[in-house]
């Protein structure tokens, strides 16, 4: 099931405005709320001139570890959009994005991070005046029930109150939702 996230049109508007080309879009949010899915939708829409990198991979981290504008230009080429998913994995990510924003004026950058505290600490000082921040939370009631009538929306409230609104929980059975949430909370805590 695919959900239309409310922040998507706002991000797309920023990407299309010429006046925001010198700003990176930073998307913060907890794990499993849909940051990667959101970015893949954006990537698909702008795919002609876009690059998508999963920064969990060590080779991607190494590519962006070398802080030199010429190196970054070689990586992105003529691309107009660069998406760095799980950007907090890149060492000195704030400085990396700053260099690209300053030296590659035709490149729009989106960086996501599950570890909001880590990513915020790494980007705030270097990117002062060069970033537009968004926070992505679990699904809003209106995002879940966009095409449902009043009665159908009311029927989902009980499950939402019990299990919350993580995208994967919405799509699972009651037993699977319980197991998923136990695993998710266990991973967070331990």
């Amino acid at each position: 099931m695919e959900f239309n996230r409310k922040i998507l049109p706002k991000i797309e508007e920023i990407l299309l405005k010429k006046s925001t080309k010198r700003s990176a879009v930073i998307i913060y949010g907890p794990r499993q709320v849909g940051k990667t899915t959101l970015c893949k939708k954006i990537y698909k829409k702008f795919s002609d001139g876009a690059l998508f990198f999963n920064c969990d991979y060590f080779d991607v981290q190494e590519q962006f570890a070398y802080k030199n504008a010429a190196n970054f230009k070689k990586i992105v080429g003529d691309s107009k959009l660069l998406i760095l998913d799980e950007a907090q994995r890149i060492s000195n990510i704030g400085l990396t994005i700053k260099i690209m924003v300053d030296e590659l004026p035709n490149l729009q950058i989106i960086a996501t991070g599950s570890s909001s505290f880590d990513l915020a600490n790494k980007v705030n000082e270097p990117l002062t005046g060069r970033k537009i921040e968004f926070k992505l939370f679990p699904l809003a009631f209106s995002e879940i029930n966009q095409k449902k009538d009043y009665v159908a929306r009311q029927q989902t409230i009980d499950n939402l109150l019990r299990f919350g609104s993580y995208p994967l929980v919405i799509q699972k059975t009651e037993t699977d939702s319980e197991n998923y949430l136990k695993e998710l909370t266990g991973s967070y805590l331990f």
Side-chain angles (χ1 to χ4, degrees):
M1 182 183 298
E2 196 169 293
F3 301 99
N4 292 322
R5 303 306 299 261
K6 287 184 173 188
I7 68 169
L8 180 59
K10 295 173 186 174
I11 294 170
E12 289 175 341
E13 181 182 340
I14 288 167
L15 296 176
L16 295 171
K17 273 187 188 177
K18 293 198 185 294
S19 62
T20 57
K21 290 287 186 200
R22 305 286 297 191
S23 298
V25 173
I26 309 294
I27 305 171
Y28 297 116
R31 294 192 183 282
Q32 301 296 311
V33 295
K35 295 180 303 298
T36 301
T37 303
L38 179 73
C39 284
K40 285 184 177 180
K41 268 188 178 180
I42 295 168
Y43 173 73
K44 191 182 291 186
K45 187 168 188 171
F46 294 89
S47 62
D48 286 347
L51 294 171
F52 184 99
F53 288 99
N54 179 342
C55 299
D56 283 332
Y57 294 113
F58 293 119
D59 60 334
V60 172
Q61 293 170 25
E62 289 172 7
Q63 284 181 7
F64 288 96
Y66 187 60
K67 311 293 184 266
N68 178 298
N71 179 61
F72 298 142
K73 178 65 178 160
K74 192 167 42 174
I75 294 169
V76 300
D78 293 330
S79 297
K80 301 293 182 211
L81 175 64
L82 171 66
I83 301 172
L84 299 171
D85 192 31
E86 298 294 348
Q88 77 276 1
R89 305 267 192 239
I90 297 171
S91 64
N92 295 314
I93 185 60
L95 182 58
T96 298
I97 295 173
K98 176 192 180 293
I99 291 169
M100 287 191 283
V101 167
D102 290 348
E103 300 297 327
L104 306 172
N106 295 322
L107 181 69
Q108 183 69 55
I109 301 165
I110 298 176
T112 74
S114 297
S115 182
S116 299
F117 183 76
D118 260 2
L119 188 60
N121 284 336
K122 292 177 183 177
V123 301
N124 276 338
E125 189 272 323
L127 287 178
T128 301
R130 294 177 180 90
K131 66 183 175 354
I132 301 169
E133 296 179 356
F134 290 92
K135 290 183 175 63
L136 188 64
F137 297 103
L139 294 163
F141 186 73
S142 60
E143 292 171 330
I144 297 166
N145 294 297
Q146 290 170 337
K147 295 179 181 158
K148 294 182 180 176
D149 62 29
Y150 178 78
V151 174
R153 285 195 305 267
Q154 292 305 109
Q155 291 171 344
T156 62
I157 291 175
D158 188 42
N159 277 348
L160 287 174
L161 291 173
R162 292 179 60 217
F163 300 113
S165 61
Y166 276 88
L168 286 176
V169 169
I170 301 298
Q171 301 173 54
K172 294 182 179 290
T173 65
E174 186 172 320
T175 302
D176 289 343
S177 292
E178 286 178 18
N179 292 334
Y180 174 77
L181 289 172
K182 284 178 186 174
E183 191 279 324
L184 186 66
T185 56
S187 294
Y188 271 128
L189 295 174
F190 299 109

